[in-house]
Amino acid sequence: MAEIQRRKTPTVKIGHVRVGWEVPVVVQSMTNTDTADIPGTIEQVAALALAGSEIVRVTVNNEDAAAAVPHIVDGLAQRGLQVPIVGDFHYNGHLLLKKFPAAARALAKYRINPGNASIGKKDNDNFQVMVECAVENQKPVRIGVNWGSLDQALLTRMMDANSRLAEPRPAREVMMEAMVVSALESAQAAERYGLRPDQIILSAKVSGVRDLIDVYTTLAARCDYALHLGLTEAGMGAKGLIASTAGLAPLLLAGIGDTIRVSLTPKPNGDRTEEVLAAQQILQSLSIRSFMPQVTSCPGCGRTTSTYFQELAEQIQSYLRTSMPEWRKKYPGVEELKLAVMGCIVNGPGESKHANLGISLPGTFEEPKAPVYIDGKLSTTLRGDTIVADFKQILDHYVETHYGQSAKSEKLIGAR
C-alpha cells in the first residue's frame, strides 16, 4: 500500500499534544455536559480521554462555565489525566477570557468562530481581543468557520459581486468560496494580531459530504495551516457513521487533515465515547493509525444458522476493549494485532491464515471442531464447550509472547 503524503503544515502544540504533518492525525471530541457542572464535565472528559480522545473541547458560553474551567482541568490532573481542554467560544469570548484569566491560562487552546466574533466590524473587537488573549497566554487558536454561522457581511458582498458577473457562478460555489475566504482572512488577521502560523488551526465545517470534500480540498490548496476535519453535524447512528466516513476518507487519503472529530448525535443518555471509537476506526480502516487489535468476522449465511460464531466474535471484541488499557501499557505494538473469527469452512481457514490469530468455527452442517491458526499455520483444533475460554487463553499467550518484554529481548538478541 502506497504511503499517504500528508500536506506539510506547521506543528501546533496543544498542551502536550502536537498537531501537524510531522505527527499522526489526532482524534478529538467534545463534551455535551453543562460545563458549569464540574463533576459531570470531569466525568465525561475522563471517559472521552480514556476512550482515546487526545483533545477534548468544552463549551465556554457564560461566566459559570468560564469559572469552572480551571477546576475541571485541576480535577482531571488529580486523576492523572493530562488531556488538553479546548474552550469553545461564541459571541462573548472576548468578555469571558478577559474577566476570567484563570480560564484563559488553564485552557490548552481557544476555538473562535469568526462568524460569531464580529470580525471586521468597527464597533466590536471580539475577534481581536480573543486572539490577543491567546498571544498573551501563548495558546493556539482554531479558527472554525461554520456554514451555519458564516460571516453574513462577507457572504453578502460576495453574492452581490457574483450577481454582477456576466455569467454568475452557482450560489453553492459562492458559499463554499466564502467559507474559504473567511477562514483565510481570519487567519491573516490573527497573524497581524500576533499569532504565529504554528499557533493556528483552520476548519471549515459543513453538513454535506460533497460540500465537506470540496471546501477542504480548496482550503488545503490555498494555505499551509494545519486543518481540523469533520462534518459540523453528522447525525445519529448509521447515517452519522456513514456520512462521516464518506466525507473524511477521501480527504485523509489525499493527505488533507491533521486532526479529526466525528460529530455523532448520541441517543438520549447515550454513550458520548462512540464518536471517539468511530474516529479511531476510520483512521485504522484507512491504515493511517492503529488503536486496537482488529477482528475480522464473516457476516454469516445459510451455512452458519448457529449464532455461535457471532457470540464468539462479540465476546472477543469485548475482551479486547476491556484488556487494551492494561495491554497498551504492558505490550507496546499490540494494537497492530489482527484476529479472524469465521463461521464456516468456505472462507474461514483462508481468512484465519491471513490474520495473526484466527479461528474457523464449524458451520451448521459441518464437523463440530474449530481449527486455530497462528501466524498463518494450523496450531491446534478446539472442540467441546470450552472453545471460547480456550481461544482467549491462546490469545493471551500470543500477546504475552509476541509483545511482552521477553519477546522484545529475543528480538534484540536476534538482531545482534
Side-chain angles (χ1 to χ4, degrees), residues 295-350:
V295 179
T296 297
S297 57
C298 66
C301 66
R303 300 179 66 92
T304 57
T305 53
S306 167
T307 61
Y308 193 76
F309 85 95
Q310 296 165 306
E311 294 164 6
L312 176 58
E314 183 179 30
Q315 289 184 51
I316 293 301
Q317 190 73 58
S318 176
Y319 185 66
L320 290 172
R321 289 209 179 281
T322 56
S323 300
M324 273 305 289
E326 186 64 27
W327 282 3
R328 195 174 284 114
K329 299 174 188 174
K330 293 174 61 178
Y331 307 119
V334 70
E335 63 275 3
E336 302 283 353
L337 178 65
K338 292 179 173 59
L339 296 95
V341 178
M342 304 302 292
C344 79
I345 199 170
V346 174
N347 290 318

Side-chain angles (χ1 to χ4, degrees), residues 209 231 234-249 262 264 278 282:
V209 170
L231 290 166
M236 294 186 74
K239 185 269 180 186
L241 291 170
I242 293 168
S244 293
T245 304
L248 295 178
V262 175
L264 296 179
I282 289 172

Side-chain angles (χ1 to χ4, degrees), residues 16 72 137 173 197 212 215 246 255 257 298:
H16 70 282
I72 292 168
N137 290 284
E173 289 186 15
L212 180 82
V215 73
C298 66

